[in-house]
Amino acid sequence: MEYGTRQKICQLVAGIIIADDILDEKEEAFVDRLIKSFGIGDTGRDVIFPLVDRNEAAVQIKRLPQDAQDVALALMIDAACVDAQIAPEEREYLIAIASALGIPETELAKRVAERLGAASKNL
């Protein structure tokens, strides 16, 4: 995956994490692990700026290749669930992304429920 695509995915994931204006330690650690695993961590968190809101995220995710869209959505779901709860702002962000990708809310809800179940087991 190209550097620019990896960076864009990190920006989208960071956007959902800060959607509720709360950054807890699990969310912060998630972002740090993501940046490092994507190999773009040499410059710190600056690589995830500018952060994007849900409307801009819905536009930007459609510009990514299909495989990157799938990875981004899965990571956004993971990020939203990392603290074992979904804030209303995070839910709205996910709904905007799913809608942009043509994924029904029922399918999104299923994916989130599955991930929440796994996240609660890791607490």
Coordinates of all heavy atoms in Angstrom, one line a residue, residues 10-105:
C10 N -4.7 6.5 8.3 CA -4.4 6.9 9.7 C -5.2 8.2 10.0 O -5.7 8.4 11.1 CB -2.9 7.1 9.9 SG -2.0 5.6 9.9
Q11 N -5.3 9.1 9.1 CA -6.1 10.3 9.3 C -7.5 10.0 9.5 O -8.2 10.6 10.4 CB -5.9 11.3 8.1 CG -4.6 11.9 8.0 CD -4.4 12.7 6.7 OE1 -5.0 12.3 5.6 NE2 -3.6 13.8 6.7
L12 N -8.1 9.1 8.8 CA -9.5 8.8 8.9 C -9.7 8.1 10.3 O -10.7 8.4 11.0 CB -9.9 7.8 7.8 CG -9.9 8.4 6.4 CD1 -10.1 7.4 5.3 CD2 -11.0 9.5 6.3
V13 N -8.8 7.2 10.7 CA -9.0 6.5 12.0 C -8.8 7.6 13.1 O -9.6 7.5 14.1 CB -7.9 5.4 12.1 CG1 -7.9 4.8 13.5 CG2 -8.3 4.3 11.1
A14 N -7.9 8.4 13.0 CA -7.7 9.5 14.0 C -8.9 10.4 14.1 O -9.3 10.8 15.2 CB -6.5 10.3 13.7
G15 N -9.6 10.6 13.0 CA -10.8 11.4 13.0 C -11.9 10.8 13.8 O -12.6 11.5 14.5
I16 N -12.1 9.5 13.7 CA -13.1 8.9 14.4 C -12.8 8.8 15.9 O -13.7 9.0 16.8 CB -13.5 7.5 13.9 CG1 -14.8 7.0 14.5 CG2 -12.4 6.5 14.2 CD1 -15.5 5.9 13.9
I17 N -11.5 8.7 16.2 CA -11.1 8.6 17.6 C -11.4 10.0 18.3 O -11.8 10.0 19.5 CB -9.6 8.2 17.7 CG1 -9.6 6.7 17.5 CG2 -9.0 8.6 19.1 CD1 -8.2 6.1 17.6
I18 N -11.2 11.1 17.6 CA -11.4 12.4 18.3 C -12.8 12.9 18.0 O -13.1 14.0 18.4 CB -10.3 13.4 17.9 CG1 -10.3 13.6 16.4 CG2 -9.0 13.0 18.4 CD1 -11.1 14.8 16.0
A19 N -13.6 12.1 17.4 CA -15.0 12.6 17.0 C -15.8 13.1 18.2 O -16.6 14.0 18.2 CB -15.8 11.5 16.2
D20 N -15.6 12.4 19.4 CA -16.3 12.7 20.6 C -15.5 13.7 21.5 O -15.9 13.9 22.6 CB -16.7 11.5 21.4 CG -15.5 10.7 21.8 OD1 -14.4 11.0 21.5 OD2 -15.7 9.7 22.6
D21 N -14.4 14.2 21.0 CA -13.6 15.2 21.7 C -13.0 14.6 23.0 O -12.6 15.3 23.9 CB -14.3 16.5 22.1 CG -14.7 17.3 20.8 OD1 -13.9 17.3 19.9 OD2 -15.8 17.9 20.8
I22 N -12.9 13.3 23.1 CA -12.3 12.6 24.2 C -11.3 11.6 23.7 O -11.6 10.8 22.8 CB -13.4 11.8 25.1 CG1 -14.4 12.8 25.6 CG2 -12.7 11.1 26.2 CD1 -15.6 12.1 26.2
L23 N -10.1 11.7 24.2 CA -9.0 10.8 23.8 C -8.5 10.1 25.0 O -7.7 10.6 25.8 CB -7.8 11.6 23.1 CG -6.7 10.8 22.6 CD1 -7.1 9.8 21.5 CD2 -5.6 11.7 22.1
D24 N -9.0 8.9 25.2 CA -8.6 8.1 26.4 C -7.3 7.4 26.1 O -6.9 7.3 24.9 CB -9.7 7.2 27.0 CG -9.9 6.0 26.2 OD1 -9.1 5.5 25.4 OD2 -11.0 5.4 26.5
E25 N -6.7 6.8 27.1 CA -5.4 6.1 26.9 C -5.4 4.9 25.9 O -4.5 4.7 25.2 CB -4.8 5.7 28.2 CG -5.6 4.7 29.0 CD -5.0 4.5 30.4 OE1 -4.7 5.4 31.1 OE2 -4.9 3.3 30.8
K26 N -6.5 4.2 25.9 CA -6.7 3.1 24.9 C -6.7 3.6 23.5 O -6.1 3.0 22.6 CB -7.9 2.3 25.3 CG -7.7 1.5 26.5 CD -9.0 0.7 26.8 CE -8.8 -0.1 28.1 NZ -10.0 -0.7 28.6
E27 N -7.5 4.7 23.3 CA -7.6 5.3 22.0 C -6.2 5.9 21.5 O -5.8 5.7 20.4 CB -8.6 6.4 21.9 CG -10.0 5.8 22.1 CD -11.1 6.9 22.3 OE1 -10.8 7.9 22.9 OE2 -12.2 6.6 21.9
E28 N -5.5 6.5 22.4 CA -4.2 7.1 22.2 C -3.2 6.0 21.8 O -2.5 6.1 20.8 CB -3.7 7.9 23.4 CG -2.5 8.7 23.1 CD -2.2 9.7 24.3 OE1 -3.0 9.7 25.3 OE2 -1.2 10.4 24.1
A29 N -3.2 4.9 22.5 CA -2.4 3.8 22.2 C -2.7 3.2 20.9 O -1.8 2.7 20.1 CB -2.4 2.7 23.3
F30 N -4.0 3.1 20.5 CA -4.4 2.5 19.3 C -3.8 3.4 18.1 O -3.3 2.8 17.2 CB -5.9 2.5 19.2 CG -6.5 1.8 18.0 CD1 -6.8 0.5 18.0 CD2 -6.7 2.5 16.8 CE1 -7.3 -0.2 16.8 CE2 -7.1 1.9 15.6 CZ -7.5 0.5 15.7
V31 N -3.9 4.7 18.2 CA -3.4 5.5 17.2 C -1.9 5.4 17.0 O -1.4 5.2 15.9 CB -3.8 7.0 17.4 CG1 -3.0 7.9 16.5 CG2 -5.2 7.3 17.3
D32 N -1.2 5.3 18.2 CA 0.2 5.2 18.1 C 0.6 3.8 17.5 O 1.6 3.8 16.7 CB 0.8 5.2 19.5 CG 0.8 6.7 20.1 OD1 0.6 7.6 19.3 OD2 0.9 6.8 21.3
R33 N -0.1 2.7 17.8 CA 0.2 1.4 17.2 C 0.0 1.5 15.7 O 0.7 0.9 14.9 CB -0.6 0.3 17.9 CG -0.1 -0.1 19.2 CD -0.8 -1.4 19.7 NE -2.3 -1.3 19.6 CZ -3.1 -0.9 20.5 NH1 -2.7 -0.4 21.7 NH2 -4.4 -0.9 20.3
L34 N -1.1 2.1 15.3 CA -1.5 2.2 13.9 C -0.4 2.9 13.1 O 0.0 2.4 12.1 CB -2.8 2.9 13.7 CG -3.3 3.0 12.3 CD1 -3.6 1.7 11.7 CD2 -4.6 3.9 12.3
I35 N 0.0 4.1 13.6 CA 1.0 4.8 12.9 C 2.3 4.0 12.8 O 2.9 4.0 11.7 CB 1.3 6.2 13.7 CG1 0.1 7.1 13.5 CG2 2.5 6.9 13.2 CD1 0.1 8.3 14.4
K36 N 2.7 3.4 13.8 CA 3.9 2.5 13.8 C 3.7 1.4 12.9 O 4.6 1.1 12.0 CB 4.2 2.1 15.2 CG 5.5 1.3 15.3 CD 5.9 0.9 16.7 CE 7.2 0.2 16.7 NZ 7.6 -0.2 18.0
S37 N 2.6 0.7 12.9 CA 2.4 -0.5 12.1 C 2.3 -0.2 10.6 O 2.7 -1.0 9.7 CB 1.2 -1.3 12.5 OG 0.0 -0.6 12.2
F38 N 1.9 1.1 10.3 CA 1.8 1.5 8.9 C 3.1 2.1 8.4 O 3.2 2.5 7.3 CB 0.7 2.5 8.7 CG -0.7 1.9 8.4 CD1 -1.1 0.7 9.0 CD2 -1.5 2.5 7.6 CE1 -2.3 0.1 8.7 CE2 -2.8 2.0 7.3 CZ -3.1 0.8 7.8
G39 N 4.1 2.1 9.3 CA 5.4 2.6 8.9 C 5.5 4.1 8.6 O 6.3 4.5 7.7
I40 N 4.7 4.9 9.2 CA 4.7 6.3 9.0 C 5.0 7.1 10.2 O 4.7 8.3 10.3 CB 3.4 6.8 8.3 CG1 2.2 6.5 9.2 CG2 3.2 6.2 6.9 CD1 0.9 7.1 8.6
G41 N 5.5 6.4 11.2 CA 5.7 7.0 12.5 C 7.0 7.9 12.7 O 7.2 8.4 13.8
D42 N 7.8 8.0 11.7 CA 9.1 8.7 11.9 C 8.9 10.2 12.3 O 9.7 10.7 13.0 CB 9.9 8.6 10.7 CG 10.3 7.2 10.3 OD1 10.3 6.4 11.2 OD2 10.7 7.0 9.2
T43 N 7.8 10.8 11.9 CA 7.6 12.2 12.2 C 6.6 12.4 13.4 O 6.1 13.5 13.6 CB 7.1 12.9 11.0 OG1 5.9 12.3 10.5 CG2 8.1 12.9 9.9
G44 N 6.2 11.3 14.1 CA 5.3 11.5 15.2 C 3.8 11.6 14.7 O 3.5 11.2 13.5
R45 N 3.0 12.1 15.5 CA 1.6 12.2 15.2 C 1.3 13.3 14.1 O 0.1 13.4 13.7 CB 0.7 12.5 16.4 CG 0.7 11.3 17.3 CD -0.3 11.5 18.4 NE -0.2 10.4 19.3 CZ -0.8 10.4 20.5 NH1 -1.5 11.5 20.9 NH2 -0.7 9.4 21.3
D46 N 2.2 14.1 13.7 CA 2.0 15.1 12.7 C 1.5 14.5 11.4 O 0.8 15.1 10.7 CB 3.3 15.9 12.4 CG 3.7 16.7 13.6 OD1 2.9 17.0 14.5 OD2 4.9 17.2 13.6
V47 N 1.8 13.2 11.2 CA 1.3 12.5 10.0 C -0.2 12.4 9.9 O -0.7 12.1 8.8 CB 2.0 11.2 9.8 CG1 3.5 11.3 9.6 CG2 1.7 10.2 10.9
I48 N -0.9 12.5 11.0 CA -2.3 12.3 10.9 C -3.1 13.6 10.8 O -4.3 13.6 10.8 CB -2.8 11.5 12.2 CG1 -2.6 12.3 13.5 CG2 -2.2 10.1 12.2 CD1 -3.2 11.7 14.7
F49 N -2.4 14.7 10.7 CA -3.0 16.0 10.5 C -3.1 16.3 9.0 O -2.1 16.0 8.3 CB -2.4 17.0 11.3 CG -2.5 16.8 12.8 CD1 -1.6 16.2 13.6 CD2 -3.7 17.2 13.4 CE1 -1.7 15.9 14.9 CE2 -3.9 16.9 14.8 CZ -2.9 16.3 15.5
P50 N -4.1 17.0 8.5 CA -5.2 17.5 9.3 C -6.2 16.4 9.6 O -6.4 15.5 8.7 CB -5.8 18.5 8.4 CG -5.5 18.1 7.0 CD -4.2 17.4 7.1
L51 N -6.8 16.4 10.7 CA -7.9 15.4 11.1 C -9.1 15.8 10.3 O -9.3 17.0 9.9 CB -8.2 15.5 12.6 CG -7.0 15.1 13.5 CD1 -7.4 15.3 14.9 CD2 -6.6 13.6 13.2
V52 N -9.9 14.8 10.0 CA -11.1 15.1 9.2 C -12.4 14.7 10.0 O -12.4 13.8 10.7 CB -11.1 14.3 7.9 CG1 -9.9 14.8 7.0 CG2 -10.9 12.8 8.1
D53 N -13.4 15.5 9.7 CA -14.7 15.2 10.3 C -15.4 14.2 9.5 O -14.9 13.8 8.5 CB -15.6 16.5 10.5 CG -16.0 17.1 9.2 OD1 -15.9 16.5 8.1 OD2 -16.4 18.3 9.2
R54 N -16.6 13.7 10.0 CA -17.3 12.6 9.3 C -17.7 12.9 7.9 O -17.6 12.1 7.0 CB -18.5 12.1 10.1 CG -19.6 13.1 10.2 CD -20.8 12.5 11.0 NE -21.9 13.4 11.0 CZ -22.2 14.2 12.1 NH1 -21.4 14.2 13.1 NH2 -23.2 15.0 12.0
N55 N -18.1 14.2 7.6 CA -18.5 14.5 6.2 C -17.3 14.5 5.2 O -17.4 13.9 4.2 CB -19.1 15.9 6.2 CG -20.4 15.9 7.0 OD1 -21.2 14.9 7.0 ND2 -20.7 17.0 7.7
E56 N -16.2 15.0 5.7 CA -15.0 15.0 4.8 C -14.4 13.6 4.7 O -14.0 13.2 3.7 CB -13.9 15.9 5.4 CG -12.6 16.0 4.6 CD -12.8 16.5 3.2 OE1 -13.7 17.2 2.9 OE2 -11.9 16.1 2.3
A57 N -14.5 12.8 5.8 CA -14.1 11.4 5.8 C -14.9 10.6 4.8 O -14.3 9.8 4.1 CB -14.2 10.8 7.2
A58 N -16.2 10.9 4.7 CA -17.0 10.1 3.7 C -16.6 10.4 2.3 O -16.6 9.5 1.4 CB -18.5 10.5 4.0
V59 N -16.2 11.6 2.1 CA -15.7 12.0 0.7 C -14.3 11.3 0.5 O -14.1 10.8 -0.6 CB -15.6 13.5 0.6 CG1 -14.8 13.9 -0.7 CG2 -16.9 14.2 0.6
Q60 N -13.4 11.4 1.5 CA -12.1 10.9 1.3 C -12.0 9.4 1.1 O -11.2 8.9 0.4 CB -11.2 11.4 2.4 CG -10.9 12.9 2.3 CD -9.9 13.4 3.3 OE1 -9.2 12.6 4.0 NE2 -9.9 14.7 3.5
I61 N -12.8 8.7 1.9 CA -12.7 7.2 1.8 C -13.1 6.7 0.4 O -12.5 5.7 0.0 CB -13.5 6.6 2.9 CG1 -13.0 5.1 3.1 CG2 -15.0 6.6 2.6 CD1 -13.4 4.4 4.3
K62 N -13.9 7.4 -0.2 CA -14.3 7.0 -1.6 C -13.2 7.2 -2.6 O -13.2 6.5 -3.6 CB -15.6 7.7 -2.0 CG -16.8 7.3 -1.3 CD -18.0 8.2 -1.5 CE -18.4 8.1 -3.0 NZ -19.7 8.8 -3.2
R63 N -12.2 8.0 -2.3 CA -11.1 8.2 -3.2 C -10.0 7.1 -3.0 O -9.1 7.1 -3.9 CB -10.5 9.6 -2.9 CG -11.4 10.7 -3.2 CD -10.7 12.0 -2.9 NE -11.6 13.1 -3.1 CZ -11.5 14.3 -2.5 NH1 -10.6 14.5 -1.6 NH2 -12.4 15.2 -2.8
L64 N -10.1 6.3 -2.0 CA -9.2 5.3 -1.8 C -9.5 4.0 -2.6 O -10.6 3.8 -3.0 CB -9.2 4.8 -0.3 CG -8.8 5.8 0.8 CD1 -9.0 5.3 2.2 CD2 -7.3 6.3 0.5
P65 N -8.4 3.2 -2.9 CA -8.7 2.0 -3.6 C -9.6 1.1 -2.8 O -9.6 1.2 -1.6 CB -7.3 1.4 -3.8 CG -6.3 2.5 -3.5 CD -7.0 3.5 -2.7
Q66 N -10.3 0.1 -3.4 CA -11.2 -0.7 -2.7 C -10.6 -1.4 -1.5 O -11.2 -1.5 -0.4 CB -11.8 -1.8 -3.7 CG -12.8 -2.7 -3.0 CD -14.1 -2.1 -2.6 OE1 -14.7 -1.3 -3.3 NE2 -14.5 -2.3 -1.3
D67 N -9.4 -2.0 -1.7 CA -8.8 -2.7 -0.6 C -8.5 -1.8 0.5 O -8.6 -2.2 1.7 CB -7.5 -3.5 -1.1 CG -6.4 -2.6 -1.6 OD1 -6.7 -1.5 -2.2 OD2 -5.3 -3.0 -1.5
A68 N -8.1 -0.6 0.2 CA -7.8 0.4 1.3 C -9.1 0.8 2.0 O -9.1 1.1 3.2 CB -7.0 1.6 0.7
Q69 N -10.2 0.9 1.3 CA -11.5 1.2 1.9 C -11.8 0.2 2.9 O -12.3 0.5 4.0 CB -12.6 1.3 0.8 CG -12.5 2.5 -0.1 CD -13.5 2.5 -1.2 OE1 -14.3 1.5 -1.3 NE2 -13.4 3.4 -2.1
D70 N -11.7 -1.1 2.5 CA -12.0 -2.2 3.4 C -11.1 -2.1 4.7 O -11.6 -2.3 5.8 CB -11.8 -3.5 2.7 CG -12.8 -3.7 1.6 OD1 -13.8 -3.0 1.5 OD2 -12.5 -4.6 0.7
V71 N -9.8 -1.9 4.5 CA -8.9 -1.8 5.7 C -9.3 -0.6 6.5 O -9.4 -0.7 7.8 CB -7.5 -1.7 5.2 CG1 -6.5 -1.3 6.3 CG2 -7.0 -3.0 4.5
A72 N -9.6 0.5 5.9 CA -9.9 1.7 6.7 C -11.2 1.5 7.5 O -11.2 1.9 8.7 CB -10.1 2.9 5.7
L73 N -12.2 1.0 6.9 CA -13.5 0.8 7.6 C -13.2 -0.2 8.8 O -13.7 0.1 9.9 CB -14.6 0.2 6.7 CG -15.9 -0.1 7.5 CD1 -16.4 1.2 8.1 CD2 -16.9 -0.6 6.5
A74 N -12.5 -1.3 8.6 CA -12.3 -2.2 9.7 C -11.5 -1.5 10.8 O -11.8 -1.7 12.0 CB -11.5 -3.4 9.1
L75 N -10.5 -0.7 10.5 CA -9.7 0.0 11.5 C -10.5 1.0 12.2 O -10.4 1.2 13.4 CB -8.5 0.6 10.8 CG -7.4 -0.4 10.5 CD1 -6.3 0.3 9.6 CD2 -6.7 -1.0 11.7
M76 N -11.4 1.7 11.5 CA -12.3 2.7 12.1 C -13.2 2.0 13.1 O -13.5 2.5 14.2 CB -13.0 3.5 11.1 CG -12.1 4.6 10.5 SD -13.0 5.7 9.4 CE -12.9 4.7 7.9
I77 N -13.7 0.8 12.8 CA -14.6 0.1 13.7 C -13.8 -0.3 14.9 O -14.2 -0.2 16.0 CB -15.2 -1.1 13.0 CG1 -16.3 -0.6 12.0 CG2 -15.9 -2.0 14.0 CD1 -16.8 -1.7 11.0
D78 N -12.6 -0.9 14.7 CA -11.7 -1.2 15.8 C -11.4 0.0 16.7 O -11.5 -0.2 17.9 CB -10.4 -1.8 15.3 CG -10.5 -3.2 14.7 OD1 -11.6 -3.8 14.8 OD2 -9.5 -3.6 14.0
A79 N -11.1 1.1 16.1 CA -10.8 2.3 16.9 C -12.0 2.8 17.7 O -11.8 3.1 18.9 CB -10.4 3.4 15.9
A80 N -13.2 2.7 17.1 CA -14.4 3.2 17.8 C -14.7 2.2 19.0 O -15.2 2.7 20.0 CB -15.6 3.3 16.9
C81 N -14.3 1.0 18.8 CA -14.6 -0.1 19.8 C -13.5 -0.3 20.9 O -13.7 -1.0 21.8 CB -15.0 -1.4 19.2 SG -16.4 -1.3 18.1
V82 N -12.4 0.3 20.7 CA -11.2 0.0 21.5 C -11.4 0.2 23.0 O -10.9 -0.5 23.8 CB -9.9 0.7 21.0 CG1 -10.0 2.2 21.4 CG2 -8.7 0.1 21.5
D83 N -12.3 1.2 23.3 CA -12.6 1.4 24.7 C -13.9 0.7 25.1 O -14.5 1.0 26.2 CB -12.7 2.9 25.0 CG -13.7 3.7 24.2 OD1 -14.4 3.0 23.3 OD2 -13.9 4.9 24.3
A84 N -14.4 -0.2 24.3 CA -15.6 -1.0 24.6 C -16.9 -0.2 24.7 O -17.8 -0.7 25.3 CB -15.4 -1.9 25.9
Q85 N -16.9 0.9 24.0 CA -18.1 1.7 23.9 C -18.1 2.6 22.7 O -17.0 3.0 22.3 CB -18.3 2.5 25.2 CG -17.2 3.5 25.5 CD -17.4 4.3 26.8 OE1 -18.4 4.1 27.4 NE2 -16.4 5.1 27.1
I86 N -19.2 2.9 22.2 CA -19.3 3.7 21.0 C -20.1 5.0 21.4 O -21.2 5.0 21.7 CB -20.1 3.0 19.8 CG1 -19.5 1.7 19.5 CG2 -20.2 3.9 18.6 CD1 -18.3 1.7 18.6
A87 N -19.3 6.1 21.3 CA -20.0 7.4 21.6 C -20.9 7.7 20.4 O -20.6 7.3 19.2 CB -18.9 8.5 21.7
P88 N -21.9 8.5 20.6 CA -22.8 8.9 19.5 C -22.1 9.5 18.3 O -22.4 9.2 17.2 CB -23.8 9.9 20.2 CG -23.8 9.5 21.6 CD -22.4 9.1 21.9
E89 N -21.1 10.3 18.6 CA -20.3 11.0 17.5 C -19.5 9.9 16.7 O -19.4 10.1 15.5 CB -19.4 12.0 18.1 CG -20.0 13.2 18.8 CD -20.3 12.9 20.3 OE1 -20.1 11.8 20.8 OE2 -20.8 13.8 21.0
E90 N -19.0 8.9 17.4 CA -18.3 7.8 16.7 C -19.3 7.1 15.8 O -19.0 6.7 14.7 CB -17.6 6.9 17.7 CG -16.5 7.6 18.5 CD -16.0 6.8 19.6 OE1 -16.7 6.0 20.2 OE2 -14.8 7.0 20.0
R91 N -20.5 6.8 16.4 CA -21.5 6.1 15.6 C -21.9 6.9 14.4 O -22.0 6.3 13.3 CB -22.7 5.8 16.5 CG -23.8 4.9 15.8 CD -24.9 4.6 16.7 NE -24.5 4.0 18.0 CZ -24.0 2.7 18.1 NH1 -24.0 1.9 17.1 NH2 -23.7 2.2 19.3
E92 N -22.1 8.2 14.5 CA -22.4 9.0 13.3 C -21.3 9.0 12.3 O -21.6 9.0 11.1 CB -22.7 10.4 13.8 CG -24.0 10.5 14.6 CD -24.1 11.9 15.3 OE1 -23.3 12.8 15.0 OE2 -25.1 12.0 16.1
Y93 N -20.1 9.0 12.7 CA -18.9 8.9 11.8 C -18.9 7.6 11.1 O -18.8 7.6 9.8 CB -17.6 9.1 12.7 CG -16.4 9.4 12.0 CD1 -15.8 10.7 12.0 CD2 -15.7 8.5 11.2 CE1 -14.6 11.0 11.4 CE2 -14.5 8.8 10.6 CZ -14.0 10.1 10.7 OH -12.8 10.4 10.1
L94 N -19.1 6.5 11.8 CA -19.2 5.2 11.1 C -20.3 5.1 10.1 O -20.2 4.6 9.0 CB -19.3 4.1 12.2 CG -18.0 3.8 12.9 CD1 -18.3 2.8 14.0 CD2 -16.9 3.3 12.0
I95 N -21.5 5.7 10.5 CA -22.6 5.6 9.6 C -22.3 6.4 8.3 O -22.7 6.0 7.2 CB -23.9 6.2 10.3 CG1 -24.4 5.1 11.4 CG2 -25.0 6.5 9.3 CD1 -25.4 5.6 12.3
A96 N -21.7 7.6 8.5 CA -21.3 8.4 7.3 C -20.4 7.6 6.4 O -20.6 7.6 5.1 CB -20.7 9.7 7.7
I97 N -19.4 6.9 7.0 CA -18.4 6.2 6.2 C -19.2 5.0 5.5 O -19.0 4.8 4.3 CB -17.3 5.6 7.1 CG1 -16.5 6.8 7.6 CG2 -16.4 4.6 6.3 CD1 -15.7 7.6 6.6
A98 N -19.9 4.3 6.2 CA -20.7 3.1 5.7 C -21.6 3.6 4.5 O -21.6 2.9 3.5 CB -21.5 2.4 6.8
S99 N -22.3 4.6 4.7 CA -23.2 5.2 3.7 C -22.4 5.5 2.4 O -22.8 5.2 1.3 CB -23.9 6.4 4.2 OG -24.7 6.9 3.2
A100 N -21.3 6.2 2.6 CA -20.4 6.5 1.4 C -20.0 5.3 0.7 O -19.8 5.3 -0.5 CB -19.2 7.3 1.9
L101 N -19.8 4.2 1.4 CA -19.3 2.9 0.8 C -20.4 2.0 0.4 O -20.2 0.9 -0.2 CB -18.4 2.2 1.8 CG -17.1 2.9 2.1 CD1 -16.3 2.1 3.2 CD2 -16.2 3.2 0.9
G102 N -21.7 2.5 0.6 CA -22.8 1.7 0.2 C -23.1 0.5 1.1 O -23.7 -0.5 0.7
I103 N -22.7 0.6 2.3 CA -22.9 -0.5 3.3 C -24.1 -0.2 4.1 O -24.2 0.9 4.7 CB -21.6 -0.7 4.2 CG1 -20.4 -1.1 3.3 CG2 -21.9 -1.7 5.3 CD1 -19.1 -1.1 4.1
P104 N -25.1 -1.1 4.2 CA -26.3 -0.8 4.9 C -26.0 -0.7 6.4 O -25.1 -1.3 6.9 CB -27.2 -2.0 4.7 CG -26.6 -2.7 3.5 CD -25.1 -2.3 3.4
E105 N -26.8 0.1 7.1 CA -26.6 0.3 8.5 C -26.7 -1.0 9.3 O -26.0 -1.2 10.3 CB -27.6 1.4 9.1 CG -27.1 2.8 8.9 CD -28.0 3.8 9.6 OE1 -28.2 3.6 10.8 OE2 -28.4 4.8 8.9

